[in-house]
Amino acid sequence: MLRECCEIELHESKEYPPSREELIKKIRDKDALLCLLTDKIDAEVMDAAPNLKVISTYSVGFDHIDIPEATKRGIYVTHTPGVLTDAVAEFTVGLILAVTRRIVEADKIIRSGQWDKPWNPYFLTGPELKGKTIGLIGLGRIGVATAKRLSSFEVKILYYDLERRWDVETVLPNMQFADIDTVLSESDIVSIHVPLTKDTYHLINEEKLKKMKKTAYLINTARGPVVDTEALVKALREGWIAGAALDVFEQEPLPPTHPLTKFDNVVLAPHIASATIEARQRMAELAARNLIAVLKGEMPPALVNKEVLKIRPLEKVKMI
Ligand code: DGY
């Protein structure tokens, strides 16, 4: 799609993601940037690109981009909401089942030759979902899609968000709005679905983890820094919670020596919640459509910084 209307410089080197120096060098004469969540786009990068009109990220999250700095410079920032919602919701359900029903642990037991006794009623037991309370921290698109899927397990869902979602409660009568502390203290499983902002950084810290039930599980498919990792390791070590399933981390890639890798009651995934073939294809298409729209002087399908329209009105750029 991009090649049809733009000249492209593709980062193809083995070094991945591109180094900051390379990014700053290559972006100098560019009108548009299509980046990934691994590219930190801040004031320094934008200053190096006086012609930059659009930053299109191939992700729904945009915490790697300094939005106020982009807006100030009249740069449009776009992202890929909606197209990965189902993939992430499906994966969240997968993580919940994996950690509560000990699926990864069970697999490891067989592969390491530890399944050496006959069937036993107490072997690898875990809690049933039916009748349990699930807590959702954040009820945006992904939170709602997760709630819909989990509802089929006949659970009660407590959710916390900045606003009460009457529209969702009407469709899913098993849902109840609550403050964050109630969600944490009454839920058997707590799943995080908030974006990373300065307000959600370390939202789940030592104090919040202590509010959870000792039998509860924490699931994170949002962003690593929403959870204070050190506090989580302490919570797991000291048994404040029963386990965790994590797809995102403060440090990515997570080193194999990290303390989180030492717990059998923790399921780890390498930031792949959106990794269905379909979602990744749709993300690519939406990222391209966003970028092309801005260059054509048209409203992009998923603009992050709407205020930019007042700073630099949309205008067609010469294209090939
Ligand atoms: C996103 O899009 O922000 C996810 O973390 C990766 O798909």
Side-chain angles (χ1 to χ4, degrees):
M1 287 167 71
L2 293 175
R3 277 190 210 289
E4 274 170 23
C5 53
C6 312
E7 273 172 34
I8 294 177
E9 185 163 351
L10 185 63
H11 175 76
E12 279 179 310
S13 112
K14 284 205 183 69
E15 194 195 334
Y16 176 84
S19 70
R20 203 168 164 73
E21 294 70 45
E22 192 180 1
L23 182 62
I24 286 175
K25 195 169 104 205
K26 297 269 177 71
I27 204 170
R28 265 180 219 296
D29 56 343
K30 304 294 185 290
D31 294 295
L33 172 71
L34 196 152
C35 65
L36 304 184
L37 55 86
T38 43
D39 302 308
K40 189 171 163 50
I41 313 297
D42 57 13
E44 195 194 357
V45 175
M46 294 179 218
D47 280 342
N51 298 335
L52 200 62
K53 291 157 189 75
V54 52
I55 299 168
S56 165
T57 183
Y58 176 100
S59 60
V60 63
F62 47 81
D63 47 281
H64 52 298
I65 304 170
D66 191 329
I67 304 298
E69 289 293 334
T71 307
K72 226 163 66 186
R73 290 166 175 75
I75 300 172
Y76 286 66
V77 180
T78 63
H79 65 147
T80 62
V83 295
L84 45 74
T85 304
D86 296 329
V88 178
E90 286 176 7
F91 196 77
T92 305
V93 175
L95 284 183
I96 292 174
L97 291 172
V99 71
T100 57
R101 299 303 307 275
R102 305 170 66 177
I103 296 172
V104 179
E105 210 184 327
D107 180 273
K108 276 192 212 146
I109 283 176
I110 295 187
R111 288 172 199 266
S112 61
Q114 292 176 69
W115 190 24
D116 51 5
K117 289 190 188 65
W119 191 90
N120 167 343
Y122 303 107
F123 187 41
L124 285 172
T125 51
E128 196 162 278
L129 282 188
K130 182 172 171 174
K132 296 292 190 305
T133 299
I134 313 263
L136 300 179
I137 311 279
L139 199 71
R141 282 175 295 262
I142 296 174
V144 172
T146 305
K148 280 187 185 155
R149 283 154 180 82
L150 288 172
S151 296
S152 67
F153 287 94
E154 299 175 51
V155 292
K156 169 178 166 186
I157 299 179
L158 285 179
Y159 74 94
Y160 163 75
D161 205 326
L162 297 178
E163 276 170 32
R164 185 160 182 178
R165 294 287 306 268
W166 293 101
D167 55 331
V168 182
E169 285 183 46
T170 310
V171 184
L172 298 174
N174 57 328
M175 295 200 58
Q176 214 176 294
F177 182 62
D179 60 73
I180 187 164
D181 289 350
T182 306
V183 171
L184 288 165
S185 61
E186 291 188 11
S187 298
D188 300 295
I189 291 153
V190 174
S191 188
I192 302 170
H193 299 284
V194 288
L196 174 61
T197 65
K198 59 178 185 354
D199 297 326
T200 61
Y201 175 80
H202 283 192
L203 176 67
I204 305 301
N205 53 19
E206 195 165 319
E207 179 225 326
K208 296 287 184 227
L209 287 162
K210 280 194 172 142
K211 295 203 187 298
M212 288 177 67
K213 292 182 187 176
K214 281 194 165 42
T215 49
Y217 297 83
L218 181 72
I219 318 294
N220 190 6
T221 52
R223 280 292 182 266
V226 175
V227 178
D228 177 347
T229 312
E230 230 174 87
L232 176 61
V233 169
K234 195 165 167 200
L236 290 160
R237 210 171 263 150
E238 298 181 7
W240 309 347
I241 60 173
L246 312 166
D247 181 52
V248 286
F249 304 90
E250 290 200 79
Q251 184 186 2
E252 292 183 9
L254 188 75
T257 50
H258 193 280
L260 281 172
T261 65
K262 308 295 176 237
F263 299 101
D264 281 336
N265 54 344
V266 174
V267 172
L268 303 168
H271 204 148
I272 54 164
S274 72
T276 63
I277 298 153
E278 294 88 343
R280 291 290 163 86
Q281 177 67 27
R282 290 189 297 253
M283 288 165 75
E285 281 172 17
L286 183 51
R289 278 172 53 213
N290 277 327
L291 185 152
I292 293 167
V294 176
L295 295 186
K296 281 189 172 165
E298 294 164 6
M299 190 64 183
L303 180 61
V304 172
N305 54 345
K306 307 242 172 350
E307 323 76 65
V308 74
L309 289 157
K310 289 188 227 121
I311 311 282
R312 189 179 67 81
L314 286 159
E315 196 187 3
K316 190 170 173 10
V317 174
K318 195 168 163 291
M319 291 161 88
I320 58 169

